[in-house]
Each structure stands twice: as C-alpha cells, then as structure tokens.
Amino acid sequence: MKKVHVSTTINGTLKEFLCDTRETLLDALRDHMLLTGTKEGCGTGDCGSCSVIFDGDVICSCLTLAAEAEGRNIETIEGMAEGGELHVLQKKFLEHAALQCGICTPGILMASKALLKKNNNPSEEEARFWLAGNLCRCTGYDKIINAVLDAAREIREESDGV
Amino acid sequence: MAFDNVSAKSFKVVGTRPERPDGIEKVTGQARFGADAYLPGMLHGAILRSPHAHAKILSIDISALENDKSVKAVVTRNDFECNLTGEDWNILENIMAGEKALYDGHAIAAVACSSLLEAKDALKKIIVQYEILPHVTDVEEAMKENAPVIREGSARSSVPKGMHPNIVGYHESGHGDVEAGFKEADLILEENFRTEAAHQGYIEPHACLATMMPDGKGEVWCCTQGHFNVAKVCAKLLGSDASQIRVTASEIGGGFGGKTAVFIEPVALALSKKATHPVKIVMSRNEIFRATGPTSSTSMHVKIGMKKNGKITAAEGTFKLQGGAFPGSPMAESAMCAFAPYELDNVRSVGWDVMCNRPKQAAYRAPGSPMAAFAVESIIDEFCKRLKLDPIEVRLINAVTEGSKSSYGPKFQRIGLVETLEAAKSHPHYAAPIERGVGRGISCGFWFNFGGETCVSLALSEDGTASLSVGTPDIGGSRASMSQIVSEELNIPYEKVRATVADTATLGYNEISHGSRVTFATGLATIKAAQDMKKKLCLRAAKVWGLDEEAVYWEEGYVKPAGPNAGDHEPLSIADIAKTMGRTGGPIVGHYEASPEGAGVSFATHIVDAKVDKETGFTSIERYTVIQDAGKAIHPSYVEGQFQGGAAQGIGWALNEEYIYDKKGILQNAGFLDYRIPVASDLPKIDTEIIEVPNPGHPYGVRGVGETSICPPLAAIANAVSSSAGIRMKQLPMSPPKILEAMDDNNG
Amino acid sequence: MADVYLWAGAKRLIEDESPLNISGKTVGELLQNLVVKYPNLKNIVREGVSCSVDDKLVFNSSTETVFENSEVYIFERISGG
Ligand code: FES
Ligand code: FES
C-alpha cells in the first residue's frame, strides 16, 4: 500500500513522516515519532487522553487522520515545559497532587492550556465544563480543578505584574 | 530500641505533603506506561474475539493466513499448556477459549504482524465455525432449573448437593437466633435489591510488550497491579518457570482491582515464541469492556428488625452474585461485609456464587462490599424514615466498636466507625439546611484490607542517600509515601530517597498491589528495612570504633557511642559511614521480607445531597462529603485522592454505569460513549475528612485506604435519591429511565 | 487447645457444635489437625480459608502463632482489589 508523505510542525520543529492513509494523528505521533506522551484511552473520541493542540484548538488526535497534519501546527505535552522550566499548569498539578496514576494528565494539561489561553479567569463551572471531554477515573476531578484555577490565578498575576 | 510498638509517635515527614518523585515525568509526558514501550523488530499482536455469548467452537480455519507474508505468527488454545487445573485452568480458559466461547468477546485466536493495521486485517481472514448455544446473562435466570449449563463440575465443595451446575459457591455466616430476634422487633422491613455490573474504567488500556525465546526465557513489560503474579501465571500457561520470565511493571494508568488479573501477557509471549520477535499487544476500549473483568452483578434480599428506639434486633441477607463464566465472584465478601458496621445479636448472611455467559469478574475496589452496603443501608434509611429517627443516631446506636463481635465471627480490634459517624454529625455538611427538592443520604461502609507477601530492599549509596526497591506497582502515589517513610526513619531528606518498583528478577515475590495493602504492607516492610539498615549502621560504627554493638546507639540520623564511651568518639552520620563503607566492611543494605498480617479493617461514612429532576429523571449530585478512618495518613493528599476517587466511581456506579446485554447476550455499550463514567461537570467538589484511629497492627497505625471509599457511595446516593424522588430506589444504576419508571410504578 | 469457630456454611458439614477444641501451635498446624479430626472439612480447607486468631485477621500466613486458649474463627478465603 502506498504511504502518504506528511510535513508538519510539532512543538515548533518541522517534522516529516510517512503514514498509511488509515492511520490517525495519534498513531503517527506515538508510533512514527515516538512522542508517547500523548495517550490513547479509547480511540473513539470519548476520553480526551489523546488531546493535542492543533492550530490553536484542542482536538482528539485519535479522531484526526495523520495525513490531515500536513502543514499544520501541533502542540503536544512534550512541548509544554520550555527551557528546562515547567509550565505553570505542570507546576500546579504537582503542587495540588492533581494526578494519581497520571495517564489522563497529558491530555488534561493540553486541554487546560488551551482553556487558559482563551480565558485566564475561568469560573469553577467553566473549568469543569471545558474539561468535560477529558476523563479521569482516579481523582474525582477535585484536585485537577483546584490546580487549573490556581494556575489561572498565577497567570493573571503574572500578566498584571507586567 | 522499641521499634515494634505503636506509639503516639510525632512525625517529621510522615503526614506532610511533598511532591511525588514520579511527578515531573508524568506532567511532561515522559513517564512510560504499558503501551509506551517499543523494541527493535517489534511486532503488533491482535486478538480475534467471539461474537457470540455462548457457542461451541467447531473449527478455526487459519489457512488463509498461511501464505500471507505479513503474518508472522498465529496462536490458538493449542499453543498453551494442556494439563492445567484449578485457577490456572480458569485463567487459561478465560484468556483463550477451548471448546466453547463462553461470552461475547471471549478470545479465540491471535496473530502477530509488523503493524497493527496488518494484524487487524489478518484477523478478518480467520474463519471460525460456531454452533450457537443457549446462553444466560442474568444471575436469577442462571440459577433456574432450566438455565443453560455453562460448565459441569465447577462447584466448590460448600455448595449443597442437588443445585444447578451454574451455582458454584455457597457461603453462610452469622450468629444468634434470627427468628427470635425478629420477634423482638417493633418493625420489620425486607426488600429485594439489584445492581448491575460496573467496570473499573481505568483510562489506560491493558498493554504489554513481550519477548520469548524458543528456550522458554521471556521478558515482559506491562501495566499490572502485580508483575510477580504475571510472571507466575505466564510461566504456568506457557510451561516455563516463573524465574525464567522477567516481568517489569510499567507505570500504571489506573487499576482499581481490574489489573490484578492477567489477560494478554501470555498471548503476547506465545506469539513472540512463534515469531521469535518481540510482540506488543494493546487492548482496545471495546475489548476492555467485553473481555476484562467488570464487577459482579447482584440480586439481593435483606430483612432487618428494629426496635422503636433504633436498636436492630435481627438482620438477615442473601447475596447472589454472578461472576461471569467462571467461579469466584466475591459473594462471601458481600455476605461478610454487609452487616459488619453493626453490633448484632442475631445475624445471618448467605452468599451464592453463580456463573453466567459474561466475562470473568475481577476485583473492583473492595469487591462485593459496595453492593451489599447498598441493600443494607437502604433498609436502615427506610427505618429512619418510618420511625422518624436521625440516620446518624441510628447508626451510632448500633455501631461496632473495639471488642464488638463482628457479624462474620471475631471481635473487632481498635476501629474508627464511631469516630467517622461523630465527625459526620458535627460536619457543616450535615448541619446545612436541605434545600427544597434535594434529598440527603447517609451511609457507612466497611472493608477488611490486606497484608500479604512483601519484600523490599533499601540500599545505602556512598553519598549517604538511599535507594528503595519495592515489588508492588505504584497505583496511587506509593513511591512518595515509601520515600517519606525512609526519610522519617533514617533522618535523611525526602529528596534523598529514591523509590523504584523493581522487576521480578530483582526482588523476592511480592503479592499484587491489591486489597489496599501497599501502604500497610510495603510500608511496614520499608520501616523494617530501614530499621535493619540502622542496625547495620550501628554495627559498622561500633566496628570502626572498636566497640561492642551494645556500646553504640542510633539517634536522629547519627550513631553515637553510649554509656561509658560517650564522648570518646564524634557521632557518625549516615553520610560519614556511607563514605567509607567500602573499606569498613562493604555495602550496607537493609532488607525485609515477610507476609505481614494485621492490616486493620476500616470504616467510612459518606454524606451526599442529590436532586432528582422529576420531569427527566436526571439526578445531580449537589454536595458530597467523605469521612474515613485512615489509621495514619502518610501522605494526606493521596489519601484524600483515594477518598475522592472512590466516591466519584461510586457516583458513576450508582447513577449511570451498567453492562447492558441484548437478547442474544451481546454487550451493547462497550465504549466510553455509552458506558458513561462521571466527567468533571457531573461532579461537585468532593469534601474529605481523614480520621486517624491507629491500627494496632502497624508501627505507625496505618490502615489501607484505597477500597473502603467505594463502599458507602451506592447506598448514600440511593438514600439521597430516594428522598428527593419520594420513592425507594431498589435497583442500580438509578439512571433517568429507571427513575422515571420507578416513579411511574409508584403513581400507577 | 484453641477454641475454633467455623463459618455457618462449613459447620453444616460436621456434626459437632462450635466451638471445636483443636490443638496446634500455628494456624497451619491447627488447620491440619482440624482436617484430621473432621475429614469432611478437607475440601473446604483446601479450597482456601482465612481466619482470625484472638481477633487479629490472618488471611494468608500459616505460621501465625496460636496460643493454648486462643479463639480462632475460620471463614472463607477473601481477597481485595
Ligand atoms: S483516545 Fe482519543 S479521545 Fe480517547
Ligand atoms: S489520574 Fe488516573 S485517570 Fe486521571
């Protein structure tokens, strides 16, 4: 079977890969680029573990074909910490013990990052609804929501400070 | 040194909330879970599954694959050991069907190809001929005289003679004279209850990467709650030795009991052996629902007699649990936990283990207990309504305390049920006014907790830091709590301890991380290993100083000369001794291995406010509070996390989650879209209160915490919903259609 | 001799009323002696039992000490998640 050539930007770096037309972006990230931080929990768009940021929007990479990545800009969990510094969301997740097993964490962090970009002052309810597509089975979400709201507060303080 | 006694010890590190040692890897995507391993030359395995609930396998035709270059190996039941008996046989029969397919999703054959797409294509070319047999998926139906027989001869010896072959276990416990007790009662209530099977719903699929050489040596990387058990099971099923199969536990993305069972590792090894390449298998979500182990579904009957003042005079319960197409449902646990919170003079509990055409049930947090609590606590709630009694007072009147005789036999040692009830009574949630339309529910819950085989090793590094190797996969932050314990015992900073989950070739056998045993048993072993190390440090210092062992002592991270020699030598720190240990006698390592008992049972009380929309039947949880006895919380954040996680899973089980089978016995909702687990917007804040009534069986007083948290929610929510809707809900889940139906029946 | 109490389901298999007087210095020994005295219990014990010795729950360990006047409850083997 003939493979498709795709060039795309992942975490700021131009990448090229060959894929089967049936493969998803999630397959390409994990199996072709070994970016295994993006997780597969269901493969059907129901759990959000595979969330990545695709031209600025959160999407399920399991529902996106790898070939659709052509010419796009993709952010994954591996690009979240920069220059050896954790992102404020990552720090807050650790501080608030917002992960138990941690399998949902990459997806939830990507979705939260997109939320805070759009709205750096979400209410608890807004955060809960925004993250409703990201399943976590371990925590009951409490500590996750606390971490996200606390990160938002810090982001606001930082931007006020400037 | 009186190391062994529980003392009102003041802790420096235990009880604080440091960041977890595996945290950064997990927030940066570096942590490697089951599916995150790759090897050169690796193949992908896929499994063909039965589309029928019950069928004879007449033939499996793989001839179409023989000339297919993409197919590197095919395995069927014939590729596994054939002389297995007992539970080993059950496991094999479950992971690869023999003569019959016993449930929708039962594995029939497996292939390995260079890519997953190829493997899935190859499965389509396998032709299986089935003779469809009558099936049964309902526990009551399966017990009837004319029910299809799943397998003859599976019954345990406890089952009375002359029962249907699907009835494979019988339990009875209790004491006193129940009939006499009912005569003393002012009011007797009895009711039937049903619950559906729920799945643990861990977000990480089962995944493994396995290599097996033709000589029987194997390597497995997998996500499991018990890698030593994986080695043991794989060796049995493949005719190798446990020591020849080295299993490494990956990070684990949730288990809750469901990853105590083995499903794909032996299949991957068998494929690898044939292909002489590593084989990776990752289950799809559909496969997880159909072919791993959900809980039992139940049918229960409970009868209780009570005095007007709230004192229970007698209690009786029958708990029928189906455990899928195999024996082993936790019906004895249901029967034993059902009445455990209450001191009863007259009690009788009966359990039945029943086989159905469903996947083999697996443990799910406190297996058996939540369903039984649902039945018992619903009736107690009904008494409170009819006799106009306060639900917490009634429970306090009957609550067990130290020395009470338990419903399952022995007396309780020190326990914290009353403390959780008192805390509930004075909690602001309980005092808060109840809004119109909202119902408030209370429930208690009980779980045993376990110890089990445990082995740890604590090595001192030359720079005075310590590496701890444990053999229990970290399912909820245990590396953090174990590091805290080492830090506490050795007086070295938390950051200077590194805890690792060692593979099966490195440590002695460790039982599965189950039964809330890790913080208790591995924690106990870690304390003892640290004490062993302290002893060795003392010996070493004594040797250096030329003194007797008795002439030195350990204090706050230093070895000091004692008595008449005091002051003769400068105290030596761990770092001082570590620096020179190579020259003073060699490496210093603390060990501990044992099967500790005395895990300490635990109790919880939950309070929940729920509101039912009478138009749609939809229930919203308005407020939730968990109060549980942890004995001693090593890392309170992770204890709270266990409380909240258990409550959230209980909310899902109570309101939404269920296995739905159609008339043909095919699972209708094998995916997260139709099997809906709670999402962030479904839940309120879940408030927690940790009660600490020390467990006399642990040096710090630790009790297991991971399971009890799922015991009260089903009942607490049912009680809240029943209040809000104005009808007693006797069936789970209380999904909108079921609530509407119950309201209709009530009006009609 | 320890006082041994069986769960009701097992009690039905023997004639005697609890408590049974069984000797043994450990749980393992006690179970062995129990089966010698009551062969009907053999299968049930083989299929797995847990017990309590003077109110301490003992799920697995056959070396747990049993004293002269210990109270031992025996029930079906249970396990967790
Ligand atoms: S894996 Fe993509 S949503 Fe679940
Ligand atoms: S932390 Fe385990 S699924 Fe979220």
Side-chain angles (χ1 to χ4, degrees), chain B residues 275-398:
Chain B
T276 49
H277 275 269
V279 174
K280 179 173 182 171
I281 296 182
V282 181
M283 272 186 160
S284 70
R285 185 56 55 180
N286 174 284
E287 288 179 287
I288 294 171
F289 277 111
R290 287 164 69 208
T292 62
T295 60
S296 293
S297 60
T298 69
S299 173
M300 306 174 282
H301 180 87
V302 171
K303 179 178 175 185
I304 294 177
M306 197 181 266
K307 288 275 194 202
K308 278 195 190 112
N309 65 4
K311 181 75 195 146
I312 299 173
T313 60
E316 189 173 54
T318 303
F319 304 90
K320 301 170 186 166
L321 275 70
Q322 69 74 29
F326 298 87
S329 75
M331 54 88 188
E333 286 84 343
S334 293
M336 288 163 74
C337 295
F339 301 108
Y342 305 114
E343 178 152 20
L344 304 170
D345 293 336
N346 308 296
V347 56
R348 181 168 178 268
S349 239
V350 169
W352 294 101
D353 181 12
V354 183
M355 301 208 298
C356 275
N357 293 110
R358 295 191 184 211
K360 188 179 196 290
Q361 66 78 36
Y364 180 17
R365 265 194 157 132
S369 180
M371 310 82 136
F374 162 58
V376 170
E377 298 280 318
S378 291
I379 296 223
I380 291 185
D381 191 61
E382 194 59 34
F383 274 112
C384 298
K385 291 212 154 63
R386 305 240 185 136
L387 298 175
K388 306 218 165 2
L389 297 168
D390 177 82
I392 292 186
E393 289 306 333
V394 167
R395 287 172 171 87
L396 276 169
I397 290 171
N398 296 290

Side-chain angles (χ1 to χ4, degrees), chain A residues 59-73:
Chain A
I59 57 147
C60 293
S61 60
C62 72
L63 292 183
T64 308
L65 288 173
E68 290 179 72
E70 177 66 37
R72 306 297 188 123
N73 200 337

Side-chain angles (χ1 to χ4, degrees), chain B residues 60-72 74 125:
Chain B
I60 303 174
D61 178 1
I62 55 165
S63 56
L65 301 182
E66 272 152 23
N67 294 320
D68 189 331
K69 289 273 183 300
S70 71
V71 179
K72 309 293 184 214
V74 185
K125 297 180 194 157

Side-chain angles (χ1 to χ4, degrees), chain A residues 30-31 39 99 137 143, chain B residues 20 27 36 38 200 640:
Chain A
R30 292 179 55 84
D31 295 343
K39 305 298 178 193
L99 46 145
R137 191 59 157 172
K143 293 181 191 295
Chain B
R20 60 197 289 163
V27 296
D36 298 339
Y38 293 77
Q200 300 83 354
E640 290 160 8

